[in-house]
Structures are given as structure tokens and as C-alpha cells.
Amino acid sequence: MSSVGIAVGIGTVLAVSACGGGARQDATEPSGKFPVAVRAAGFPSSQTLAQHTHLLIAVRNIGRKTIPNVAVTICNVTCTYPAPKGAGTSAAAFSASLDQTGLANSSRPIWVVDHGPGACHYSCQNGGVGAGVSAASNTWALGALPPGRTVIFRWGVTAVSVGHHVVAWEVAAGLNGKAHAVLANGSVPRGFFAVGISGKPAQSYVNNNGQIVQSSGQ
């Protein structure tokens, strides 16, 4: 399962208009700290090659103000900044970074993302990234979150790389570095999952209720 740690906040994305230095895109994002609670965080620790599963993170607004744009970043090994070479967001989400020269793209998938968080409209239904994708690296955002409300981030993924892997995650209150999500103790809401992916195929059997049950190939 997950571990919610205490460390530095999510890397910021500060952007300006591409034409002639217009207004900053973060101009309307409120500054401040927005208290949250991570009500659930789950990802199976034992998986098999080609197995489809879900990574789930549920975030609740426990503060008195609406969170501008609740978001979760998925990192390789750690979401601390700066991260070691090949870790953090230097690799694509659900991927690892190969230390090999001459590669056009050093990221290699550990899981293929079948669908991301958010509503699944035309793009998602046709293999796109889904409604929650953002311009920020490795980050999905699900919009404003009023006080007392909970939002669930759920990724559907398929394992494609055998081995032991660490997937880290971190919650933010906005995409532009001015609104910060914090836990009740003031720390950054973040954690990680340690996952082993086996190359053995999953075993299936029929239980006493006539249902097909798939067990781990570990």
C-alpha cells in the first residue's frame, strides 16, 4: 500500500503567454495552503505481466475554501524535487528511464495507461489520455473541489515490464505553484507503491460459486 510522507511540494509549472509576454497563466490561481486528506490510496503490490489493474487515490477537501484545481502527479521512484537522475518526472508517468545514450526518448513503460482519471469522452474512448490530463508533466487534474467533498483519481493500467518497481505520487491544489495542498499536519500529501511484476501468467480457476477467479502468477 502507500506511504504518505513529509517533504517538499510538487514542482511548479510557471508559464507565460507565447505571444509578446501577455498575462501569466497562473494570474488567477489563488495563493495559499489548502488542507486535504488522502482517504484511500491503493495499487496491488503483486502483479503479473499483461495484467490489467487500477491505481486509486481519493482526495478529500478538509478545509474551508474550495481547492482551485486538485491534481495528482505520478513519478518514477520519488516525487521529491530535485529527484535523482532517471527518477521523478524525468521519466513519463508509469515508466522508467533508461540510462543509454542515443535514445530519442529514454522513457520505457512499466505500465501502459489504458485510461486516466476523469470522464471518459471521445478521446478516452478512442485511446486518448482522458479528460483529466494536464499540460504539467505526469499530472492529471480534476478541477475545483469544494469543502467537504472527495474526488477519486483512478488509472486503469496494464503491466508490461517484469521486475520490482516503485511508483510515487503527490497531490497538488493547482497547476501553477501558487496553491499548495497540505495534510492536517502541514506536510505534503504524497506516498509511493512498491510493486513486483511477475513474468508468470496468472492462473485461473472456477470457484464453488461457478465464478472464474484469477490468482497471481507469483
Side-chain angles (χ1 to χ4, degrees):
M1 293 301 291
S2 71
S3 159
V4 176
I6 51 173
V8 203
I10 192 171
T12 60
V13 179
L14 298 178
V16 295
S17 170
C19 300
R24 285 165 45 136
Q25 292 181 358
D26 65 344
T28 59
E29 182 175 294
S31 299
K33 296 180 179 180
F34 295 82
V36 301
V38 179
R39 293 303 192 196
F43 196 35
S45 59
S46 296
Q47 301 179 26
T48 58
L49 201 63
Q51 178 184 353
H52 177 78
T53 189
H54 291 89
L55 188 154
L56 179 148
I57 297 171
V59 182
R60 184 174 180 82
N61 182 351
I62 60 173
R64 298 181 178 180
K65 299 181 294 184
T66 294
I67 295 173
N69 193 4
V70 63
V72 173
T73 297
I74 299 295
C75 311
N76 182 35
V77 182
T78 178
C79 283
T80 57
Y81 182 83
K85 183 179 179 181
T89 57
S90 61
F94 297 100
S95 300
S97 185
L98 294 181
D99 186 13
Q100 183 177 336
T101 59
L103 295 176
N105 186 348
S106 62
S107 289
R108 291 297 181 270
I110 301 170
W111 290 270
V112 172
V113 180
D114 302 312
H115 61 81
C120 188
H121 298 306
Y122 178 83
S123 171
C124 170
Q125 294 168 6
N126 289 274
V129 290
V133 70
S134 76
S137 178
N138 295 31
T139 300
W140 284 259
L142 295 183
L145 185 64
R149 299 291 296 274
T150 299
V151 66
I152 296 176
F153 289 78
R154 187 193 304 269
W155 291 262
V157 298
T158 299
V160 294
S161 180
V162 173
H164 295 281
H165 310 283
V166 175
V167 183
W169 55 269
E170 185 169 294
V171 179
L175 296 176
N176 297 302
K178 296 172 67 177
H180 301 278
V182 295
L183 297 174
N185 63 5
S187 63
V188 176
R190 60 165 46 150
F192 66 89
F193 302 102
V195 181
I197 299 175
S198 171
K200 298 179 181 179
Q203 303 298 312
S204 298
Y205 64 93
V206 179
N207 65 17
N208 293 333
N209 296 320
Q211 298 170 318
I212 298 177
V213 178
Q214 191 174 71
S215 62
S216 171
Q218 295 286 339

PDB file of all heavy atoms in Angstrom, residues 128-142:
ATOM      1  N   GLY A 128      -7.206   7.868 -26.286  1.00  0.00           N
ATOM      2  CA  GLY A 128      -6.565   9.085 -25.815  1.00  0.00           C
ATOM      3  C   GLY A 128      -6.312   9.060 -24.321  1.00  0.00           C
ATOM      4  O   GLY A 128      -6.616   8.081 -23.633  1.00  0.00           O
ATOM      5  N   VAL A 129      -5.768  10.176 -23.808  1.00  0.00           N
ATOM      6  CA  VAL A 129      -5.315  10.215 -22.419  1.00  0.00           C
ATOM      7  C   VAL A 129      -6.427  10.497 -21.428  1.00  0.00           C
ATOM      8  O   VAL A 129      -6.238  10.341 -20.226  1.00  0.00           O
ATOM      9  CB  VAL A 129      -4.200  11.275 -22.248  1.00  0.00           C
ATOM     10  CG1 VAL A 129      -2.937  10.814 -22.927  1.00  0.00           C
ATOM     11  CG2 VAL A 129      -4.646  12.619 -22.820  1.00  0.00           C
ATOM     12  N   GLY A 130      -7.600  10.929 -21.877  1.00  0.00           N
ATOM     13  CA  GLY A 130      -8.712  11.149 -20.961  1.00  0.00           C
ATOM     14  C   GLY A 130      -8.862  12.586 -20.540  1.00  0.00           C
ATOM     15  O   GLY A 130      -8.000  13.436 -20.785  1.00  0.00           O
ATOM     16  N   ALA A 131      -9.978  12.866 -19.846  1.00  0.00           N
ATOM     17  CA  ALA A 131     -10.343  14.240 -19.530  1.00  0.00           C
ATOM     18  C   ALA A 131      -9.448  14.884 -18.482  1.00  0.00           C
ATOM     19  O   ALA A 131      -9.342  16.100 -18.423  1.00  0.00           O
ATOM     20  CB  ALA A 131     -11.803  14.284 -19.066  1.00  0.00           C
ATOM     21  N   GLY A 132      -8.812  14.098 -17.619  1.00  0.00           N
ATOM     22  CA  GLY A 132      -8.047  14.671 -16.514  1.00  0.00           C
ATOM     23  C   GLY A 132      -6.627  15.077 -16.863  1.00  0.00           C
ATOM     24  O   GLY A 132      -5.915  15.612 -16.016  1.00  0.00           O
ATOM     25  N   VAL A 133      -6.161  14.831 -18.078  1.00  0.00           N
ATOM     26  CA  VAL A 133      -4.777  15.141 -18.436  1.00  0.00           C
ATOM     27  C   VAL A 133      -4.538  16.644 -18.388  1.00  0.00           C
ATOM     28  O   VAL A 133      -5.440  17.438 -18.633  1.00  0.00           O
ATOM     29  CB  VAL A 133      -4.441  14.579 -19.832  1.00  0.00           C
ATOM     30  CG1 VAL A 133      -5.160  15.347 -20.932  1.00  0.00           C
ATOM     31  CG2 VAL A 133      -2.944  14.567 -20.076  1.00  0.00           C
ATOM     32  N   SER A 134      -3.310  17.039 -18.050  1.00  0.00           N
ATOM     33  CA  SER A 134      -2.960  18.458 -17.997  1.00  0.00           C
ATOM     34  C   SER A 134      -1.658  18.692 -18.754  1.00  0.00           C
ATOM     35  O   SER A 134      -0.978  17.747 -19.166  1.00  0.00           O
ATOM     36  CB  SER A 134      -2.794  18.918 -16.540  1.00  0.00           C
ATOM     37  OG  SER A 134      -1.560  18.466 -16.017  1.00  0.00           O
ATOM     38  N   ALA A 135      -1.298  19.965 -18.918  1.00  0.00           N
ATOM     39  CA  ALA A 135      -0.043  20.306 -19.585  1.00  0.00           C
ATOM     40  C   ALA A 135       1.156  20.097 -18.673  1.00  0.00           C
ATOM     41  O   ALA A 135       2.294  20.063 -19.137  1.00  0.00           O
ATOM     42  CB  ALA A 135      -0.087  21.758 -20.062  1.00  0.00           C
ATOM     43  N   ALA A 136       0.919  19.959 -17.363  1.00  0.00           N
ATOM     44  CA  ALA A 136       2.007  19.742 -16.419  1.00  0.00           C
ATOM     45  C   ALA A 136       2.522  18.305 -16.532  1.00  0.00           C
ATOM     46  O   ALA A 136       1.741  17.369 -16.723  1.00  0.00           O
ATOM     47  CB  ALA A 136       1.529  20.020 -14.989  1.00  0.00           C
ATOM     48  N   SER A 137       3.813  18.134 -16.423  1.00  0.00           N
ATOM     49  CA  SER A 137       4.440  16.832 -16.620  1.00  0.00           C
ATOM     50  C   SER A 137       3.897  15.776 -15.664  1.00  0.00           C
ATOM     51  O   SER A 137       3.894  15.960 -14.443  1.00  0.00           O
ATOM     52  CB  SER A 137       5.953  16.963 -16.425  1.00  0.00           C
ATOM     53  OG  SER A 137       6.591  15.710 -16.570  1.00  0.00           O
ATOM     54  N   ASN A 138       3.400  14.670 -16.222  1.00  0.00           N
ATOM     55  CA  ASN A 138       2.957  13.498 -15.462  1.00  0.00           C
ATOM     56  C   ASN A 138       1.768  13.777 -14.545  1.00  0.00           C
ATOM     57  O   ASN A 138       1.525  13.021 -13.600  1.00  0.00           O
ATOM     58  CB  ASN A 138       4.101  12.935 -14.606  1.00  0.00           C
ATOM     59  CG  ASN A 138       5.254  12.399 -15.420  1.00  0.00           C
ATOM     60  OD1 ASN A 138       5.535  12.894 -16.505  1.00  0.00           O
ATOM     61  ND2 ASN A 138       5.947  11.405 -14.907  1.00  0.00           N
ATOM     62  N   THR A 139       1.019  14.854 -14.797  1.00  0.00           N
ATOM     63  CA  THR A 139      -0.010  15.299 -13.856  1.00  0.00           C
ATOM     64  C   THR A 139      -1.404  15.244 -14.462  1.00  0.00           C
ATOM     65  O   THR A 139      -1.605  15.646 -15.599  1.00  0.00           O
ATOM     66  CB  THR A 139       0.289  16.743 -13.396  1.00  0.00           C
ATOM     67  OG1 THR A 139       1.574  16.767 -12.763  1.00  0.00           O
ATOM     68  CG2 THR A 139      -0.749  17.239 -12.405  1.00  0.00           C
ATOM     69  N   TRP A 140      -2.346  14.751 -13.653  1.00  0.00           N
ATOM     70  CA  TRP A 140      -3.764  14.745 -14.004  1.00  0.00           C
ATOM     71  C   TRP A 140      -4.496  15.653 -13.019  1.00  0.00           C
ATOM     72  O   TRP A 140      -4.229  15.631 -11.813  1.00  0.00           O
ATOM     73  CB  TRP A 140      -4.346  13.347 -13.912  1.00  0.00           C
ATOM     74  CG  TRP A 140      -3.980  12.439 -15.055  1.00  0.00           C
ATOM     75  CD1 TRP A 140      -4.746  12.110 -16.134  1.00  0.00           C
ATOM     76  CD2 TRP A 140      -2.754  11.704 -15.230  1.00  0.00           C
ATOM     77  NE1 TRP A 140      -4.083  11.240 -16.958  1.00  0.00           N
ATOM     78  CE2 TRP A 140      -2.861  10.965 -16.420  1.00  0.00           C
ATOM     79  CE3 TRP A 140      -1.574  11.600 -14.472  1.00  0.00           C
ATOM     80  CZ2 TRP A 140      -1.845  10.149 -16.887  1.00  0.00           C
ATOM     81  CZ3 TRP A 140      -0.561  10.791 -14.927  1.00  0.00           C
ATOM     82  CH2 TRP A 140      -0.694  10.073 -16.131  1.00  0.00           C
ATOM     83  N   ALA A 141      -5.427  16.460 -13.512  1.00  0.00           N
ATOM     84  CA  ALA A 141      -6.171  17.397 -12.672  1.00  0.00           C
ATOM     85  C   ALA A 141      -7.666  17.225 -12.918  1.00  0.00           C
ATOM     86  O   ALA A 141      -8.097  17.032 -14.056  1.00  0.00           O
ATOM     87  CB  ALA A 141      -5.756  18.835 -12.976  1.00  0.00           C
ATOM     88  N   LEU A 142      -8.454  17.299 -11.826  1.00  0.00           N
ATOM     89  CA  LEU A 142      -9.889  17.065 -11.929  1.00  0.00           C
ATOM     90  C   LEU A 142     -10.719  18.273 -11.526  1.00  0.00           C
ATOM     91  O   LEU A 142     -11.892  18.154 -11.198  1.00  0.00           O
ATOM     92  CB  LEU A 142     -10.285  15.833 -11.101  1.00  0.00           C
ATOM     93  CG  LEU A 142      -9.700  14.508 -11.606  1.00  0.00           C
ATOM     94  CD1 LEU A 142     -10.211  13.346 -10.762  1.00  0.00           C
ATOM     95  CD2 LEU A 142     -10.041  14.277 -13.082  1.00  0.00           C
TER      96      LEU A 142
END
